[in-house]
Amino acid sequence: MTTFTTSDGTDLFYKDWGQGRPVVFSHGWPLNADAWDGQLRLVAENGFRAVAHDRRGHGRSAQPWQGNDMDTYADDLAELIEHLDLRDAVLVGHSTGGGEVARYIGRHGTGRVAKVVLLGAVPPLMLRTEANPDGLPLEVFDGIREGVRQDRSEFYRTLSEPFYGANRSGSNVSQGARDAFWLMGMQAGLKAAYDCVAQFSATDFTEDLGRIDVPTLIAHGDDDQIVPIGAAARKSATLVKDSVLKVYPGAPHGLTGDFEQAFNADLLDFIRA
């Protein structure tokens, strides 16, 4: 396996395919870099360098007790980018990975970044607060924590249904895709998976989004049952100065079927432009 060691001694797994301008992918919770395999292959076959890592505590990366917080996730991404000396990069983040990308820019700037793609991303803030009344109530995230703590295998099996919109009429998502979601979830360490819930739900990325000063594609399905579009992409698009909002009618949170094909085409168009 290809790994590098962060400054706090954590070994992180990453994939590095192809050559050309780097396109760096950050995955959602509780998944790993394999969730991006279709897009990694797509961009590598079209003249780009595709890079994706397993977040600490997830997939094939080490599972330290410490560092399961958004600042450390962002710093890990920065260390990977510096380790590979990536420049003029396109950063692509899905769900929690979108928060990771936003926090990376908030902490490290855009000196090595040319463009950003936020897909079904959690920014600016998922949790309902007095200042964010459109967010989801704390009880939703407490339920996720309890599901992970009590029986994460069954929880991930069940979660794959709304993740891919399998509970919607006309859905044709395969059982194999849902099984792959379960498998990636089970590869995440319990401590990391539990801790990450607070990071994707309660982290406020408003200031990070305001620091994005490169062209940004904000893409989101309007039937996303995991990260509802109203409190996420629609608000992010008003906070990122040079951004374009792309809404996929009827699309769920996870990439599947026609939604995946449409996003792939938009991704290639955006990074080529």
Side-chain angles (χ1 to χ4, degrees):
M1 296 198 304
T2 307
T3 63
F4 82 103
T5 304
T6 67
S7 57
D8 73 349
T10 302
D11 293 332
L12 298 184
F13 168 85
Y14 68 93
K15 304 182 184 187
D16 187 356
W17 299 352
Q19 296 180 335
R21 167 185 274 186
V23 185
V24 184
F25 294 85
S26 290
H27 63 79
W29 177 92
L31 309 178
N32 58 55
D34 291 355
W36 283 118
D37 268 4
Q39 290 65 47
L40 292 165
R41 178 181 175 185
L42 175 75
V43 301
E45 288 180 340
N46 280 274
F48 299 94
R49 181 180 179 184
V51 176
H53 71 293
D54 291 355
R55 186 171 299 118
R56 65 170 57 212
H58 296 66
R60 291 139 294 198
S61 289
Q63 298 185 11
W65 184 260
Q66 76 285 353
N68 300 304
D69 60 82
M70 195 57 66
D71 287 353
T72 304
Y73 299 158
D75 292 348
D76 287 347
L77 178 59
E79 290 195 38
L80 173 62
I81 290 171
E82 292 162 8
H83 172 73
L84 298 176
D85 194 24
L86 304 180
R87 301 179 186 275
D88 198 32
V90 181
L91 302 187
V92 185
H94 175 241
S95 196
T96 300
E100 181 177 278
V101 167
R103 181 53 53 91
Y104 165 86
I105 291 174
R107 289 173 67 83
H108 301 278
T110 54
R112 291 176 177 264
V113 179
K115 299 180 181 181
V116 168
V117 179
L118 302 177
L119 171 65
V122 297
L125 174 62
M126 287 194 71
L127 181 66
R128 180 182 298 167
T129 64
E130 287 187 9
N132 186 46
D134 296 327
L136 295 172
L138 177 62
E139 291 76 17
V140 171
F141 305 109
D142 285 343
I144 295 173
R145 276 184 280 265
E146 186 65 9
V148 170
R149 188 181 69 83
Q150 289 283 6
D151 186 351
R152 60 189 177 127
S153 180
E154 177 62 16
F155 178 76
Y156 294 147
R157 186 193 68 80
T158 303
L159 182 61
S160 70
E161 184 176 43
F163 188 92
Y164 288 113
N167 55 348
R168 299 305 201 211
S169 176
S171 170
N172 58 3
V173 63
S174 70
Q175 186 61 47
R178 295 182 61 183
D179 290 347
F181 176 93
W182 172 87
L183 177 61
M184 285 185 275
M186 291 304 294
Q187 290 174 327
L190 177 59
K191 176 66 161 57
Y194 186 93
D195 288 356
C196 191
V197 178
Q199 302 308 308
F200 70 66
S201 64
T203 301
D204 189 339
F205 299 97
T206 302
E207 292 186 5
D208 304 302
L209 294 175
R211 294 191 176 103
I212 299 177
D213 57 2
V214 295
T216 301
L217 172 63
I218 299 174
H220 216 111
D222 70 0
D223 192 31
D224 189 327
Q225 301 170 69
I226 306 300
V227 182
I229 189 173
R234 295 197 189 281
K235 286 190 175 181
S236 291
T238 68
L239 297 169
V240 180
K241 294 183 284 295
D242 190 9
S243 65
V244 173
L245 174 62
K246 175 72 176 185
V247 178
Y248 299 91
H253 188 61
L255 282 172
T256 184
D258 292 342
F259 174 33
E260 182 171 19
Q261 297 308 309
F263 173 72
N264 286 350
D266 291 337
L267 175 65
L268 272 183
D269 286 345
F270 182 70
I271 62 180
R272 283 170 169 165

